């Protein structure tokens, strides 16, 4: 079951939603419901989303082709975003459109931007360190072509 694509996507979406849920509950329980605490909590949440997606991309791109890991990361982030903007506000005693559609779509754009930036930075670090799948494949090809085959000596 863990090898199936939908499982990886679902686990990623739930993990990203868990980041949001913990952040909302900490702000709701630990602080007064001021805009400052909510704003700082949102910044921490978006930073953690970018960090998690960057680290996951760095790990996944080392062993798999981009055509294998990119849809998983994309759909997982999309699922996490939908859970965050539609179900997340109920954890903090609000509703998704309580502050108007402007705040709702601002949260969607911020989440999408942080997800994209985190994924791109994770992939760029892997490419910069020559740890991505393509760089490793090219290194193996170069090693295979530059080493000479063993010379057979006949008697």
């Amino acid at each position: 079951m863990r090898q199936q694509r939908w499982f990886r996507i679902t686990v990623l979406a739930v993990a990203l939603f868990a980041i949001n849920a913990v952040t909302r509950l900490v702000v709701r329980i630990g602080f007064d419901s001021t805009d400052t605490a909510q704003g700082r909590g949102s910044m921490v949440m978006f930073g953690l989303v970018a960090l998690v997606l960057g680290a996951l991309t760095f790990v996944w791109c080392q062993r798999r082709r981009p055509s294998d890991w990119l849809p998983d990361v994309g759909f997982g982030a999309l699922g996490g975003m939908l859970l965050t903007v539609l179900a997340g506000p109920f954890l903090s005693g609000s509703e998704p459109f309580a502050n108007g559609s402007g705040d709702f779509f601002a949260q969607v754009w911020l989440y999408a931007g942080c997800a994209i930036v985190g994924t791109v930075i994770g992939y760029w670090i892997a490419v910069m360190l020559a740890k991505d799948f393509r760089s490793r494949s090219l290194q193996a090809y170069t090693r295979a072509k530059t080493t000479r085959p063993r010379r057979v000596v006949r008697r």
Side-chain angles (χ1 to χ4, degrees):
M1 180 170 98
R2 284 204 246 159
Q3 300 300 325
Q4 295 178 350
R5 177 169 261 179
W6 63 268
F7 183 78
R8 291 188 299 262
I9 293 170
T10 304
V11 167
L12 178 59
V14 169
L16 293 176
F17 177 68
I19 291 170
N20 180 320
V22 168
T23 305
R24 285 184 189 264
L25 290 175
V26 165
V27 168
R28 182 177 180 186
I29 294 170
F31 301 99
D32 296 332
S33 60
T34 62
D35 290 336
T36 305
Q38 289 177 355
R40 289 180 182 165
S42 293
M43 288 174 29
V44 167
M45 188 240 348
F46 287 129
L48 285 175
V49 165
L51 184 68
V52 165
L53 288 174
L56 186 69
T57 300
F58 180 79
V59 171
W60 280 1
C61 77
Q62 292 181 21
R63 303 262 188 259
R64 298 165 49 196
R65 297 178 188 271
S67 60
D68 291 339
W69 61 262
L70 192 57
D72 293 352
V73 171
F75 286 121
L78 181 66
M81 179 184 66
L82 290 175
L83 285 171
T84 296
V85 298
L86 296 175
F90 293 112
L91 292 173
S92 57
S94 183
E95 295 178 0
F97 291 101
N99 296 331
S101 63
D103 283 346
F104 176 82
F105 287 111
Q107 188 174 8
V108 168
W109 289 115
L110 278 170
Y111 196 101
C114 288
I116 290 169
V117 165
T119 303
V120 167
I121 288 175
Y123 185 66
W124 281 351
I125 290 172
V127 169
M128 182 180 66
L129 297 174
K131 298 274 188 187
D132 65 314
F133 185 81
R134 184 170 185 257
S135 297
R136 293 166 62 108
S137 299
L138 289 173
Q139 287 172 353
Y141 176 78
T142 302
R143 254 185 269 117
K145 289 299 177 181
T146 57
T147 58
R148 292 185 176 175
R150 185 171 162 236
R151 199 168 170 193
V152 178
V153 179
R154 297 201 179 215
R155 294 187 202 180

